[in-house]
Amino acid sequence: GPYSEEDQANPVNHYGKSKFKSEQILKHHSCDWTILRTIIVYGIADNLSRGNIVLWGRGALKKGNPLNIIDDQFRSPTLAEDLAQACVLVIDNKATGVYNISGKDIMSIFEMVERMADFYGCDKSIINRISTANLNQKAKRPPKTGFILDKSINELAYQPHSFEEGLAIVEQQILEQKDHN
């Protein structure tokens, strides 16, 4: 990465292969279709079945416990509101085809957590660099994903937030949620 919509897919795990297979089925269907590709969606919602990296990182950093974070995998985290806005833009523009939808920042997972620490005013010295090999993840992960967003920006007028802007939106939502409870 970063990848354009035209780059050849090469999924490295079952999850990626299933997404690719789904795309192939849709592309060969006779109806109009649109595929939005995204990476690491973060945000809040009622009754989330699982967390996401920002909510996990926020909680872990505020507890101050040492964190082992990989520094050799790169991603473009995507604010949930940006993904939702892209869906609206596709509908409004009657767009078809494949579009990359993510945040505009490509960073390592380590950098992502460091930037969260800066944003939340937490101690970065508790963040320890490790490699993917030391993490022993069950599923293989690509070393670098991330998207070239030119097509989405030019054809849909997609304007994603920066990572820090996204963190601010999520933090405001968390505060509002606490006020309502």
Side-chain angles (χ1 to χ4, degrees), residues 28-145:
H28 292 96
H29 200 280
S30 61
C31 67
D32 287 341
W33 52 266
T34 306
I35 295 168
L36 300 182
R37 293 178 177 158
T38 194
I39 308 167
I40 303 188
V41 178
Y42 67 94
I44 68 165
D46 291 335
N47 304 314
L48 283 175
S49 61
R50 57 179 253 196
N52 56 68
I53 189 152
V54 166
L55 297 180
W56 172 84
R58 179 184 182 275
L61 287 164
K62 287 183 179 251
K63 286 179 186 171
N65 297 328
L67 302 172
N68 294 325
I69 307 295
I70 50 177
D71 66 356
D72 58 354
Q73 289 184 26
F74 295 80
R75 304 290 183 264
S76 298
T78 309
L79 178 65
E81 283 75 6
D82 286 345
L83 179 56
Q85 181 61 35
C87 293
V88 171
L89 291 169
V90 163
I91 294 165
D92 289 348
N93 288 288
K94 297 179 175 57
T96 60
V98 178
Y99 292 90
N100 290 337
I101 300 296
S102 70
K104 55 185 168 183
D105 303 316
I106 298 173
M107 65 194 93
S108 71
I109 305 296
F110 182 84
E111 181 186 349
M112 195 181 312
V113 175
E114 273 195 324
R115 288 169 74 171
M116 284 188 263
D118 287 340
F119 180 84
Y120 294 116
C122 296
D123 181 9
K124 288 195 294 193
S125 71
I126 65 170
I127 309 169
N128 304 307
R129 288 179 185 267
I130 63 169
S131 69
T132 297
N134 293 348
L135 189 58
N136 197 23
Q137 291 175 304
K138 291 179 183 178
K140 185 176 179 183
R141 305 289 200 292
K144 186 173 186 181
T145 60

